[in-house]
Amino acid sequence: MYPINYYQSHIVVDHHRPLSALGMGNTRNRTKGELRTRSGCQKCRERRVKCPEQRPICGHCKRLGFTCRYEVKLNWQDVVLFDCHDRVSGGLPQDLLISIQSWMFLNTDQSDFKTGGFQRHLEDQLHLSSTQAEDLVHQLDEIAPYPRYLSPFRLGEAEGYLWSYFNEFMTPQIVIDPGFNPYRHIILKMATHSREGPLFHCVLAAAANQLQSTGCDEYKPIVWLHRAKALRLLRSQIGQLASGETQKGCRAPSKDEIIASTVMLTFFEISQDCSDSWTAHANFARAFLFSRLKDLGSLSPEQEALLYFAVTYFVSHDILAATGGTLEEAAETVTEMCKSVDDSIIVAITGCSRDLLILLSEINQMGLLIGRSYQKQLPPAIQQRRDNVERLLHQMHQEIPEVFGAFKSEFAIVAEVKRLTTILYLYSRIDGAGPHEPHMIRLTSQILSLLPQISLRTHTGLWPLFIVATLGIRPERDEDRKLLLSRITALHHTRQLANVKKARLIIEDVWKSRDLRPDLSQGWSIMQGRRHGAISLA
């Protein structure tokens, strides 16, 4: 169990409000009748959904793995420090100043930093006896086993800058719903536990790599320094866990940190060059997570949230990568792991339902069996499986939970695009249908009409773009090619991800092959034999 870091105040400063909420835009004063009281938890109010208000953790936060807090939240206005502000800011980068501002705390005093300070705070503020306060602290330890925040004043300037960059600029662009952000709410929270652990260096390596990819070449040595540290520390933790012995001067290995570090190393490799090295991490993670799922009954809510996030992350990468033609999916393990995760978590992370991922995995499995049979006609057993998958896909309605609030409509569009793309993939991979066949033309047209409605602030649209570009676009449709290339280019500019660049190379290679033989209506077989290596499409 990890100790809680109580450096944070219990009145949280909000730096992510729009300018109008900070008093910097044209706002109007609310009348007395417009004032409202909100008794729900902070996370439900941020997500603008009705809070069930169970305490100490509400139903929404427990199910989605959020930290649930019932507290007063103040809107922070920029503090003008007059003359001293200029002298302080002169020697620090602007991004670091933003980071430092975002870590300011209110209502803290010296006692908050002493042992037992938080317990005395509960006694004073909530009028609890020492025994009641001690019991409540113990309950909070069970709910939140990881420290909540890491003060940047404990970091060097370079590390603080990278931490701030990952937190403020990268994490919002990785998820569909900003309110459900496991990279910020789970990964960063865990990384604060130890600056000497592998996860901390994984985060800094990812941030430095992103900065390098945007043209800041001075970060190149920093990228490889933190990556090397992360790998060395991760290997050490895995070795200690396997042997059951803790090295002298080292803390005990943590299964949770191993899982989170493997997620971030895979994230790094995909972002950096999307070479086959990311699959080595994914293969290890699959076996490790499959074993960890057996501990579900004894895990805390936050440990469960990490496990479900990691399972969804690697399962979606396995399934979608197998559609690219260069990887085989570990079918039985992947399907079983997928079934263990709540559907709302999978929707939040992937933009589609758990049932759709399972059907996509079923298509991959049938494709492998067909490839090994070398028969022109489908065997009866596979034909029956194929027909069942087709029926389920056409009948599928992916329910988007109300918990997604303002983002529900966007999730619905993403889910429908992925359902249509899965049907296109079924016809191409199992039936061998080419882009000129009428039902393929109809599906392609439907997908192309919906693609512009998917936001480019995340890369959730990469897989539909890739599949429709390689399997659905006819050689003579220059305007469709132009649309897809513009979307892929815009997606690449959003985050400079190496897998997006690799996807474009494969798409262009497939288009060249189709241009050379426009009379040959090839289905998914055109994807085979490509020399680009494994690609991540999740």
Side-chain angles (χ1 to χ4, degrees):
M1 186 65 64
Y2 299 98
I4 297 181
N5 183 342
Y6 291 112
Y7 288 163
Q8 71 174 52
S9 165
H10 300 285
I11 298 181
V12 179
V13 179
D14 184 2
H15 291 281
H16 306 288
R17 305 287 290 177
L19 293 181
S20 59
L22 295 174
M24 298 170 64
N26 294 325
T27 60
R28 62 182 180 89
N29 295 325
R30 289 185 177 271
T31 64
K32 186 174 182 180
E34 291 176 290
L35 295 176
R36 296 181 295 169
T37 59
R38 300 180 180 181
S39 56
C41 75
Q42 177 189 320
K43 180 55 65 175
C44 287
R45 280 156 36 206
E46 285 177 357
R47 292 167 59 77
R48 289 179 275 179
V49 297
K50 182 174 177 58
C51 179
E53 300 189 31
Q54 297 97 334
R55 294 176 185 255
I57 179 169
C58 78
H60 288 337
C61 291
K62 183 176 181 180
R63 182 163 52 85
L64 296 174
F66 293 141
T67 298
C68 189
R69 296 196 292 269
Y70 291 88
E71 57 193 16
V72 179
K73 186 170 183 178
L74 300 182
N75 293 336
W76 181 265
Q77 295 186 353
D78 284 353
V79 177
V80 180
L81 298 178
F82 302 106
D83 294 339
C84 65
H85 182 271
D86 293 334
R87 290 197 295 273
V88 172
S89 63
L92 295 176
Q94 182 62 28
D95 288 341
L96 185 58
L97 285 175
I98 294 173
S99 172
I100 291 173
Q101 290 171 4
S102 70
W103 293 106
M104 289 180 175
F105 309 120
L106 295 180
N107 292 10
T108 55
D109 55 36
Q110 192 174 12
S111 65
D112 291 314
F113 296 87
K114 295 179 180 178
T115 304
F118 181 63
Q119 182 173 325
R120 286 192 293 275
H121 172 84
L122 292 176
E123 295 172 13
D124 295 339
Q125 297 297 319
L126 301 181
H127 308 292
L128 300 177
S129 68
S130 59
T131 303
Q132 290 173 319
E134 185 178 354
D135 290 341
L136 182 55
V137 169
H138 178 70
Q139 291 176 30
L140 289 172
D141 282 339
E142 294 295 326
I143 294 170
Y146 311 123
R148 291 188 176 88
Y149 297 102
L150 178 71
S151 168
F153 300 108
R154 306 177 76 181
L155 300 177
E157 182 174 335
E159 290 179 338
Y161 184 86
L162 292 174
W163 182 275
S164 171
Y165 187 82
F166 186 86
N167 179 40
E168 301 294 333
F169 295 95
M170 291 180 64
T171 58
Q173 297 177 350
I174 306 173
V175 295
I176 308 173
D177 177 4
F180 183 85
N181 196 327
Y183 293 92
R184 176 177 284 171
H185 301 144
I186 299 175
I187 297 295
L188 283 182
K189 187 187 295 186
M190 283 192 63
T192 64
H193 179 60
S194 172
R195 287 179 56 188
E196 302 305 321
L199 183 57
F200 179 79
H201 293 286
C202 288
V203 169
L204 299 191
N209 178 66
Q210 182 68 26
L211 285 163
Q212 177 203 351
S213 68
T214 58
C216 302
D217 293 336
E218 63 270 24
Y219 285 95
K220 188 172 184 179
I222 299 176
V223 171
W224 298 108
L225 172 67
H226 286 294
R227 179 183 181 272
K229 284 184 178 180
L231 280 171
R232 175 173 54 80
L233 292 168
L234 181 59
R235 289 193 187 104
S236 174
Q237 285 209 5
I238 294 171
Q240 292 178 58
L241 190 65
S243 65
E245 298 178 0
T246 303
Q247 296 177 5
K248 187 176 180 181
C250 298
R251 61 189 178 89
S254 161
K255 290 183 179 180
D256 295 332
E257 187 166 13
I258 289 172
I259 291 170
S261 299
T262 308
V263 168
M264 287 308 300
L265 277 173
T266 306
F267 176 93
F268 171 86
E269 302 291 355
I270 291 170
S271 303
Q272 205 275 327
D273 60 4
C274 200
S275 64
D276 290 354
S277 57
W278 74 266
T279 63
H281 301 309
N283 290 336
F284 163 77
R286 189 188 309 115
F288 195 86
L289 290 169
F290 192 72
S291 173
R292 183 62 165 164
L293 284 169
K294 299 174 184 177
D295 301 332
L296 265 179
S298 61
L299 300 181
S300 70
E302 288 204 358
Q303 289 174 311
E304 285 187 5
L306 168 66
L307 182 58
Y308 289 147
F309 163 56
V311 167
T312 303
Y313 181 88
F314 285 109
V315 161
S316 60
H317 274 79
D318 269 357
I319 294 174
L320 297 184
T323 67
T326 55
L327 279 181
E328 290 189 7
E329 174 195 325
E332 293 182 4
T333 303
V334 166
T335 302
E336 188 173 343
M337 289 169 66
C338 191
K339 291 178 180 178
S340 70
V341 183
D342 187 80
D343 189 54
S344 61
I345 296 174
I346 292 180
V347 171
I349 295 172
T350 67
C352 66
S353 67
R354 177 179 57 197
D355 290 343
L356 186 67
L357 279 181
I358 292 173
L359 289 177
L360 190 52
S361 177
E362 174 76 356
I363 297 171
N364 289 338
Q365 294 173 45
M366 288 189 291
L368 288 175
L369 293 174
I370 293 169
R372 293 167 184 166
S373 67
Y374 300 103
Q375 298 180 22
K376 292 184 177 180
Q377 191 171 9
L378 292 180
I382 295 181
Q383 181 67 53
Q384 185 176 357
R385 288 172 67 181
R386 177 247 177 248
D387 293 344
N388 185 53
V389 169
E390 181 185 28
R391 176 179 56 81
L392 291 173
L393 284 171
H394 281 290
Q395 294 176 351
M396 177 177 286
H397 173 69
Q398 299 178 88
E399 189 68 35
I400 307 300
E402 292 293 337
V403 70
F404 295 115
F407 292 90
K408 183 178 179 180
S409 59
E410 184 175 355
F411 273 99
I413 294 171
V414 172
E416 178 61 9
V417 167
K418 291 192 173 183
R419 184 187 72 87
L420 294 172
T421 304
T422 304
I423 298 174
L424 186 81
Y425 175 63
L426 169 71
Y427 292 152
S428 183
R429 176 139 196 196
I430 306 304
D431 301 346
H436 287 93
E437 298 192 28
H439 59 300
M440 297 290 281
I441 294 174
R442 183 175 64 256
L443 277 169
T444 299
S445 177
Q446 288 178 278
I447 296 169
L448 291 177
S449 67
L450 292 173
L451 279 176
Q453 300 179 52
I454 297 179
S455 171
L456 291 172
R457 58 187 170 78
T458 72
H459 55 280
T460 188
L462 177 60
W463 181 70
L465 283 170
F466 180 84
I467 293 297
V468 76
T470 53
L471 305 179
I473 298 297
R474 290 166 282 162
E476 67 273 14
R477 297 289 296 180
D478 289 338
E479 63 273 26
D480 292 342
R481 287 185 173 184
K482 184 177 179 180
L483 169 64
L484 288 170
L485 284 180
S486 67
R487 300 290 294 180
I488 292 172
T489 301
L491 191 61
H492 182 59
H493 287 164
T494 302
R495 285 256 327 280
Q496 302 292 320
L497 290 171
N499 64 326
V500 178
K501 183 178 180 181
K502 193 171 188 177
R504 176 169 180 156
L505 291 175
I506 297 174
I507 289 169
E508 291 176 347
D509 196 30
V510 168
W511 284 353
K512 289 175 184 176
S513 298
R514 292 202 188 278
D515 289 341
L516 291 172
R517 295 291 304 275
D519 57 317
L520 185 61
S521 182
Q522 287 181 284
W524 187 81
S525 61
I526 200 170
M527 302 295 298
Q528 296 175 297
R530 302 285 160 190
R531 294 175 293 176
H532 298 284
I535 180 171
S536 163
L537 295 168

